[in-house]
Coordinates of all heavy atoms in Angstrom, one line a residue:
I279 N -9.5 -5.4 38.6 CA -9.1 -6.5 37.7 C -8.1 -5.8 36.7 O -8.3 -4.7 36.2 CB -10.2 -7.0 36.8 CG1 -11.2 -7.7 37.8 CG2 -9.7 -8.0 35.8 CD1 -12.4 -8.2 37.0
T280 N -6.9 -6.4 36.6 CA -5.9 -5.9 35.7 C -5.5 -7.0 34.7 O -5.7 -8.1 35.0 CB -4.7 -5.3 36.4 OG1 -4.1 -6.4 37.1 CG2 -5.0 -4.2 37.3
G281 N -4.9 -6.6 33.6 CA -4.4 -7.6 32.7 C -3.9 -6.9 31.4 O -3.9 -5.7 31.3
S282 N -3.5 -7.7 30.5 CA -3.1 -7.2 29.2 C -3.6 -8.1 28.1 O -3.9 -9.3 28.3 CB -1.6 -7.1 29.1 OG -1.0 -8.3 29.2
V283 N -3.8 -7.5 26.9 CA -4.3 -8.3 25.8 C -3.4 -7.9 24.6 O -3.0 -6.8 24.4 CB -5.7 -7.8 25.4 CG1 -6.2 -8.5 24.2 CG2 -6.6 -8.1 26.6
Q284 N -3.0 -9.0 23.9 CA -2.3 -8.8 22.6 C -3.2 -9.2 21.5 O -3.8 -10.2 21.5 CB -1.0 -9.7 22.6 CG 0.1 -9.2 23.5 CD 1.3 -10.1 23.3 OE1 1.2 -11.3 23.0 NE2 2.4 -9.5 23.4
T285 N -3.3 -8.3 20.6 CA -4.2 -8.6 19.4 C -3.4 -8.4 18.1 O -2.4 -7.7 18.1 CB -5.4 -7.6 19.3 OG1 -4.9 -6.3 19.2 CG2 -6.2 -7.8 20.6
M286 N -3.8 -9.1 17.1 CA -3.2 -9.0 15.8 C -4.2 -8.7 14.8 O -5.2 -9.4 14.7 CB -2.4 -10.3 15.5 CG -1.7 -10.2 14.2 SD -1.0 -11.8 13.6 CE -0.1 -12.3 15.0
K287 N -4.1 -7.7 14.0 CA -5.0 -7.3 13.0 C -4.8 -8.3 11.8 O -3.6 -8.5 11.4 CB -4.7 -5.9 12.5 CG -5.7 -5.4 11.5 CD -5.3 -4.0 11.1 CE -6.2 -3.5 9.9 NZ -5.8 -2.2 9.5
T288 N -5.8 -8.9 11.3 CA -5.7 -9.8 10.2 C -6.8 -9.5 9.2 O -7.7 -8.8 9.4 CB -5.9 -11.3 10.7 OG1 -7.2 -11.4 11.2 CG2 -4.8 -11.7 11.7
L289 N -6.5 -10.0 8.0 CA -7.5 -9.8 6.9 C -8.2 -11.2 6.6 O -7.5 -12.2 6.7 CB -6.7 -9.4 5.6 CG -6.0 -8.0 5.7 CD1 -5.2 -7.8 4.4 CD2 -7.0 -6.9 5.8
P290 N -9.4 -11.1 6.2 CA -10.1 -12.4 5.8 C -9.4 -12.9 4.6 O -8.9 -12.2 3.7 CB -11.5 -11.9 5.5 CG -11.7 -10.5 6.1 CD -10.3 -10.0 6.2
D291 N -9.4 -14.3 4.5 CA -8.8 -14.9 3.3 C -9.3 -14.4 2.0 O -8.6 -14.2 1.0 CB -9.1 -16.4 3.4 CG -8.2 -17.1 4.4 OD1 -7.3 -16.4 5.0 OD2 -8.3 -18.3 4.6
D292 N -10.6 -14.1 1.9 CA -11.2 -13.6 0.6 C -10.6 -12.3 0.2 O -10.4 -12.0 -0.9 CB -12.7 -13.5 0.7 CG -13.4 -14.9 0.7 OD1 -12.8 -15.9 0.3 OD2 -14.6 -14.9 1.2
T293 N -10.3 -11.4 1.2 CA -9.7 -10.1 1.0 C -8.3 -10.3 0.5 O -7.9 -9.7 -0.5 CB -9.7 -9.3 2.2 OG1 -11.0 -9.1 2.7 CG2 -9.1 -7.9 2.0
I294 N -7.6 -11.3 1.1 CA -6.2 -11.5 0.6 C -6.2 -12.1 -0.8 O -5.4 -11.7 -1.6 CB -5.5 -12.5 1.6 CG1 -5.4 -11.9 3.0 CG2 -4.1 -12.9 1.1 CD1 -4.9 -12.8 4.1
K295 N -7.1 -13.0 -1.1 CA -7.2 -13.6 -2.4 C -7.5 -12.5 -3.4 O -6.8 -12.5 -4.5 CB -8.3 -14.7 -2.5 CG -8.0 -15.9 -1.8 CD -9.1 -16.9 -1.9 CE -8.8 -18.2 -1.1 NZ -9.8 -19.2 -1.3
E296 N -8.4 -11.6 -3.1 CA -8.7 -10.5 -4.1 C -7.5 -9.6 -4.3 O -7.2 -9.2 -5.4 CB -9.9 -9.7 -3.5 CG -10.4 -8.6 -4.4 CD -11.6 -7.9 -3.8 OE1 -12.6 -8.6 -3.5 OE2 -11.5 -6.7 -3.7
M297 N -6.8 -9.3 -3.2 CA -5.6 -8.5 -3.3 C -4.5 -9.1 -4.1 O -3.7 -8.5 -4.7 CB -5.2 -8.1 -1.9 CG -4.0 -7.2 -1.8 SD -3.7 -6.7 -0.1 CE -3.8 -8.2 0.8
A298 N -4.4 -10.5 -4.0 CA -3.2 -11.2 -4.5 C -3.4 -11.6 -6.0 O -2.4 -11.9 -6.6 CB -2.9 -12.4 -3.7
Q299 N -4.6 -11.6 -6.5 CA -4.8 -12.1 -7.9 C -3.9 -11.6 -8.9 O -3.8 -10.3 -9.0 CB -6.3 -11.9 -8.3 CG -7.3 -12.7 -7.5 CD -8.7 -12.3 -7.9 OE1 -8.9 -11.5 -8.8 NE2 -9.7 -12.8 -7.2
G300 N -3.2 -12.5 -9.6 CA -2.3 -12.0 -10.7 C -1.0 -11.4 -10.3 O -0.2 -11.0 -11.1
K301 N -0.7 -11.3 -9.0 CA 0.5 -10.6 -8.5 C 1.6 -11.7 -8.3 O 1.4 -12.8 -8.0 CB 0.2 -9.9 -7.2 CG -0.7 -8.6 -7.4 CD -0.8 -7.9 -6.1 CE -1.5 -6.5 -6.3 NZ -2.9 -6.6 -6.6
N302 N 2.9 -11.1 -8.3 CA 4.0 -12.0 -7.9 C 4.3 -11.8 -6.4 O 3.6 -11.0 -5.7 CB 5.2 -11.7 -8.7 CG 5.8 -10.3 -8.5 OD1 5.7 -9.7 -7.4 ND2 6.4 -9.7 -9.5
E303 N 5.2 -12.6 -5.9 CA 5.5 -12.6 -4.4 C 5.8 -11.2 -3.9 O 5.3 -10.8 -2.8 CB 6.7 -13.5 -4.1 CG 6.4 -15.0 -4.3 CD 7.6 -15.9 -3.9 OE1 8.5 -15.4 -3.3 OE2 7.5 -17.0 -4.4
E304 N 6.6 -10.4 -4.6 CA 7.0 -9.1 -4.2 C 5.8 -8.2 -4.1 O 5.7 -7.4 -3.2 CB 8.1 -8.5 -5.1 CG 8.7 -7.2 -4.6 CD 9.8 -6.7 -5.4 OE1 10.5 -7.5 -6.0 OE2 9.9 -5.5 -5.5
E305 N 5.0 -8.2 -5.1 CA 3.8 -7.3 -5.2 C 2.9 -7.6 -4.0 O 2.3 -6.7 -3.4 CB 3.1 -7.5 -6.5 CG 3.9 -6.9 -7.7 CD 3.3 -7.3 -9.0 OE1 2.8 -8.4 -9.2 OE2 3.5 -6.6 -10.0
I306 N 2.7 -8.9 -3.7 CA 1.8 -9.3 -2.6 C 2.4 -8.8 -1.3 O 1.7 -8.3 -0.4 CB 1.6 -10.8 -2.6 CG1 1.0 -11.3 -3.8 CG2 0.9 -11.2 -1.3 CD1 1.0 -12.8 -4.0
A307 N 3.7 -9.0 -1.1 CA 4.4 -8.5 0.1 C 4.2 -7.0 0.3 O 3.9 -6.6 1.4 CB 5.8 -8.9 0.1
V308 N 4.3 -6.2 -0.7 CA 4.2 -4.8 -0.7 C 2.7 -4.5 -0.3 O 2.5 -3.6 0.6 CB 4.5 -4.1 -2.0 CG1 4.1 -2.7 -2.0 CG2 6.0 -4.2 -2.2
A309 N 1.8 -5.1 -0.9 CA 0.4 -4.9 -0.6 C 0.0 -5.2 0.9 O -0.7 -4.5 1.5 CB -0.5 -5.7 -1.5
L310 N 0.5 -6.3 1.4 CA 0.3 -6.7 2.8 C 0.9 -5.7 3.7 O 0.3 -5.3 4.8 CB 0.7 -8.1 3.1 CG -0.1 -9.2 2.4 CD1 0.6 -10.6 2.6 CD2 -1.5 -9.3 3.1
K311 N 2.1 -5.2 3.4 CA 2.8 -4.2 4.3 C 2.0 -2.9 4.3 O 1.8 -2.3 5.3 CB 4.2 -4.0 3.8 CG 5.2 -5.1 4.1 CD 6.6 -4.8 3.6 CE 7.5 -6.0 3.8 NZ 8.8 -5.8 3.1
E312 N 1.5 -2.5 3.2 CA 0.7 -1.3 3.1 C -0.6 -1.4 3.9 O -1.0 -0.4 4.5 CB 0.4 -1.0 1.6 CG 1.6 -0.5 0.8 CD 1.2 -0.3 -0.7 OE1 0.1 -0.6 -1.1 OE2 2.1 0.2 -1.4
K313 N -1.2 -2.5 4.0 CA -2.4 -2.7 4.8 C -2.1 -2.7 6.3 O -3.0 -2.4 7.1 CB -3.1 -4.1 4.4 CG -3.7 -4.1 3.1 CD -5.0 -3.4 3.1 CE -5.7 -3.7 1.7 NZ -6.9 -2.8 1.6
G314 N -0.8 -3.0 6.6 CA -0.5 -3.1 8.0 C -1.2 -4.1 8.8 O -1.4 -4.0 10.0
A315 N -1.6 -5.2 8.1 CA -2.4 -6.2 8.8 C -1.7 -7.2 9.5 O -2.3 -7.9 10.4 CB -3.3 -6.9 7.7
Y316 N -0.4 -7.4 9.3 CA 0.3 -8.5 9.9 C 1.7 -8.0 10.4 O 2.3 -7.2 9.8 CB 0.6 -9.6 8.9 CG -0.7 -10.3 8.4 CD1 -1.3 -9.9 7.2 CD2 -1.3 -11.2 9.2 CE1 -2.5 -10.4 6.8 CE2 -2.5 -11.8 8.8 CZ -3.1 -11.4 7.6 OH -4.3 -11.9 7.2
E317 N 2.1 -8.5 11.6 CA 3.3 -8.1 12.2 C 4.5 -8.7 11.3 O 5.5 -8.1 11.1 CB 3.4 -8.6 13.6 CG 4.7 -8.2 14.3 CD 4.7 -8.7 15.7 OE1 3.7 -8.4 16.4 OE2 5.7 -9.2 16.2
S318 N 4.3 -10.0 10.9 CA 5.2 -10.6 10.0 C 4.5 -11.6 9.2 O 3.4 -12.1 9.5 CB 6.4 -11.3 10.8 OG 5.8 -12.4 11.6
F319 N 5.0 -11.9 8.0 CA 4.4 -12.8 7.1 C 5.5 -13.3 6.1 O 6.6 -12.7 6.0 CB 3.2 -12.2 6.4 CG 3.6 -11.0 5.6 CD1 4.0 -11.1 4.3 CD2 3.4 -9.8 6.1 CE1 4.4 -10.0 3.6 CE2 3.8 -8.6 5.4 CZ 4.2 -8.7 4.1
R320 N 5.2 -14.4 5.4 CA 6.0 -14.9 4.4 C 5.1 -15.3 3.2 O 4.1 -15.9 3.4 CB 6.8 -16.1 4.8 CG 7.7 -16.6 3.8 CD 8.5 -17.8 4.3 NE 7.7 -18.9 4.4 CZ 8.0 -20.1 4.8 NH1 9.3 -20.3 5.1 NH2 7.2 -21.1 4.9
V321 N 5.5 -14.8 2.0 CA 4.7 -15.2 0.8 C 5.5 -16.2 0.1 O 6.7 -16.0 -0.2 CB 4.5 -13.9 -0.1 CG1 3.8 -14.3 -1.4 CG2 3.8 -12.8 0.6
K322 N 4.9 -17.4 -0.2 CA 5.6 -18.4 -0.9 C 4.6 -19.0 -1.9 O 3.5 -19.4 -1.6 CB 6.0 -19.5 0.1 CG 6.8 -20.6 -0.5 CD 7.2 -21.6 0.6 CE 8.0 -22.7 0.0 NZ 8.4 -23.7 1.0
L323 N 5.1 -19.1 -3.1 CA 4.2 -19.6 -4.2 C 4.6 -21.1 -4.4 O 5.8 -21.5 -4.3 CB 4.5 -18.9 -5.5 CG 4.2 -17.4 -5.4 CD1 4.4 -16.8 -6.8 CD2 2.8 -17.1 -5.0
F324 N 3.6 -21.9 -4.7 CA 3.8 -23.3 -4.9 C 2.9 -23.8 -6.0 O 1.8 -23.4 -6.0 CB 3.6 -24.1 -3.6 CG 3.9 -25.6 -3.8 CD1 5.2 -26.0 -3.6 CD2 3.0 -26.5 -4.1 CE1 5.6 -27.3 -3.7 CE2 3.3 -27.8 -4.3 CZ 4.6 -28.2 -4.1
P325 N 3.4 -24.6 -6.9 CA 4.7 -25.1 -7.1 C 5.7 -24.0 -7.4 O 5.4 -23.0 -7.9 CB 4.6 -26.1 -8.2 CG 3.3 -25.8 -8.9 CD 2.5 -25.0 -8.0
P326 N 7.0 -24.3 -7.2 CA 8.1 -23.3 -7.3 C 8.3 -22.7 -8.7 O 8.9 -21.7 -8.8 CB 9.3 -24.0 -6.8 CG 9.0 -25.5 -6.6 CD 7.5 -25.6 -6.7
W327 N 7.8 -23.3 -9.7 CA 8.0 -22.8 -11.0 C 7.0 -21.7 -11.4 O 7.1 -21.1 -12.5 CB 8.0 -23.9 -12.1 CG 6.8 -24.7 -12.1 CD1 5.6 -24.4 -12.8 CD2 6.5 -26.0 -11.6 NE1 4.7 -25.4 -12.6 CE2 5.2 -26.4 -11.9 CE3 7.3 -26.8 -10.8 CZ2 4.7 -27.6 -11.4 CZ3 6.8 -28.0 -10.4 CH2 5.5 -28.4 -10.7
I328 N 5.9 -21.5 -10.6 CA 5.0 -20.4 -10.9 C 5.5 -19.1 -10.4 O 6.2 -19.0 -9.4 CB 3.6 -20.7 -10.4 CG1 3.5 -20.7 -8.9 CG2 3.0 -21.9 -11.0 CD1 2.1 -20.7 -8.4
S329 N 5.2 -18.0 -11.1 CA 5.8 -16.7 -10.7 C 4.7 -15.8 -10.3 O 5.0 -14.7 -9.7 CB 6.6 -16.1 -11.9 OG 5.7 -15.9 -13.0
R330 N 3.5 -16.1 -10.5 CA 2.3 -15.2 -10.2 C 1.2 -16.0 -9.6 O 1.0 -17.2 -9.9 CB 1.8 -14.5 -11.4 CG 2.8 -13.5 -12.0 CD 2.1 -12.5 -12.9 NE 3.1 -11.4 -13.2 CZ 3.2 -10.3 -12.5 NH1 2.6 -10.2 -11.4 NH2 4.1 -9.4 -12.9
I331 N 0.4 -15.4 -8.7 CA -0.8 -16.0 -8.1 C -1.8 -16.1 -9.3 O -1.9 -15.2 -10.1 CB -1.3 -15.0 -7.0 CG1 -0.4 -14.9 -5.9 CG2 -2.7 -15.5 -6.6 CD1 -0.2 -16.2 -5.0
P332 N -2.6 -17.2 -9.3 CA -3.6 -17.3 -10.3 C -4.6 -16.2 -10.2 O -4.8 -15.6 -9.1 CB -4.3 -18.7 -9.9 CG -3.3 -19.4 -9.1 CD -2.5 -18.3 -8.4
K333 N -5.3 -15.9 -11.3 CA -6.3 -14.9 -11.3 C -7.7 -15.4 -10.8 O -8.6 -14.6 -10.5 CB -6.4 -14.3 -12.7 CG -5.2 -13.5 -13.0 CD -5.4 -12.7 -14.3 CE -4.1 -11.9 -14.6 NZ -4.2 -11.2 -15.8
K334 N -7.9 -16.7 -10.8 CA -9.1 -17.3 -10.4 C -9.1 -17.6 -8.9 O -8.2 -18.4 -8.4 CB -9.3 -18.6 -11.2 CG -10.6 -19.2 -11.0 CD -10.8 -20.5 -11.9 CE -12.1 -21.1 -11.7 NZ -12.2 -22.4 -12.5
P335 N -9.9 -17.0 -8.1 CA -9.9 -17.1 -6.6 C -9.9 -18.6 -6.1 O -9.3 -18.9 -5.1 CB -11.1 -16.3 -6.1 CG -11.3 -15.3 -7.2 CD -10.9 -16.0 -8.5
S336 N -10.7 -19.4 -6.8 CA -10.8 -20.8 -6.4 C -9.5 -21.6 -6.5 O -9.3 -22.7 -6.0 CB -11.9 -21.5 -7.2 OG -11.6 -21.6 -8.5
N337 N -8.5 -21.0 -7.3 CA -7.2 -21.7 -7.5 C -6.2 -21.1 -6.5 O -5.0 -21.5 -6.5 CB -6.7 -21.5 -8.9 CG -7.5 -22.3 -9.9 OD1 -8.1 -23.3 -9.5 ND2 -7.4 -21.9 -11.1
I338 N -6.6 -20.2 -5.6 CA -5.7 -19.6 -4.6 C -6.0 -20.3 -3.3 O -7.1 -20.3 -2.8 CB -5.9 -18.1 -4.5 CG1 -5.7 -17.4 -5.8 CG2 -5.0 -17.5 -3.4 CD1 -6.0 -15.9 -5.9
H339 N -5.0 -20.8 -2.6 CA -5.1 -21.4 -1.3 C -4.2 -20.7 -0.3 O -3.0 -20.6 -0.6 CB -4.8 -22.9 -1.4 CG -5.6 -23.6 -2.4 ND1 -6.9 -24.0 -2.2 CD2 -5.3 -24.0 -3.7 CE1 -7.4 -24.6 -3.3 NE2 -6.5 -24.6 -4.2
I340 N -4.7 -20.3 0.8 CA -4.0 -19.6 1.8 C -3.8 -20.5 3.0 O -4.7 -21.1 3.5 CB -4.7 -18.3 2.2 CG1 -4.8 -17.4 1.0 CG2 -4.0 -17.6 3.4 CD1 -5.7 -16.1 1.2
V341 N -2.5 -20.6 3.5 CA -2.2 -21.4 4.6 C -1.7 -20.4 5.7 O -0.8 -19.6 5.5 CB -1.1 -22.4 4.3 CG1 -0.7 -23.2 5.6 CG2 -1.5 -23.3 3.2
T342 N -2.3 -20.5 6.8 CA -2.0 -19.6 8.0 C -1.3 -20.5 9.0 O -1.9 -21.5 9.5 CB -3.2 -18.9 8.6 OG1 -3.9 -18.2 7.6 CG2 -2.8 -18.0 9.7
L343 N -0.1 -20.1 9.4 CA 0.6 -20.8 10.4 C 0.6 -20.0 11.7 O 0.9 -18.9 11.7 CB 2.1 -21.1 10.0 CG 2.2 -21.8 8.7 CD1 3.7 -21.9 8.3 CD2 1.7 -23.2 8.8
E344 N 0.3 -20.7 12.8 CA 0.3 -20.1 14.1 C 1.7 -20.0 14.6 O 2.4 -21.0 14.5 CB -0.6 -20.8 15.1 CG -2.1 -20.8 14.7 CD -2.7 -19.5 14.7 OE1 -2.4 -18.6 15.5 OE2 -3.6 -19.2 13.8
P345 N 2.1 -18.9 15.3 CA 3.5 -18.8 15.9 C 3.7 -19.8 17.0 O 2.9 -20.4 17.6 CB 3.5 -17.4 16.4 CG 2.2 -16.9 16.4 CD 1.3 -17.8 15.6

């Protein structure tokens, strides 16, 4: 039997929330790159007038899009 498998290392949402608390988009991107958990990602804050992730985890919502 032969074959190949592609895997992608990912982090649990709770870990991402903990890592992102109080950070801005650039700081989150740096932290995710350092973890090496994703091949590619995009950090987008909403609504557009906020500049930092909330410090309260229940106010952080993560959306994962499949390629």
Side-chain angles (χ1 to χ4, degrees):
I279 298 175
T280 63
S282 64
V283 177
Q284 288 184 324
T285 62
M286 183 187 308
K287 182 179 175 186
T288 59
L289 298 172
D291 285 355
D292 289 339
T293 302
I294 296 171
K295 287 179 181 184
E296 185 178 304
M297 182 175 43
Q299 291 176 6
K301 291 185 170 71
N302 65 31
E303 289 181 18
E304 186 177 330
E305 293 168 328
I306 297 165
V308 168
L310 287 172
K311 285 178 186 174
E312 287 176 353
K313 291 280 187 189
Y316 298 95
E317 184 177 311
S318 66
F319 59 87
R320 181 178 71 176
V321 177
K322 184 176 180 182
L323 302 181
F324 186 85
W327 58 81
I328 65 169
S329 61
R330 295 196 169 276
I331 295 289
K333 291 186 178 181
K334 188 175 179 183
S336 63
N337 290 340
I338 302 171
H339 304 283
I340 297 173
V341 177
T342 305
L343 303 175
E344 296 296 324

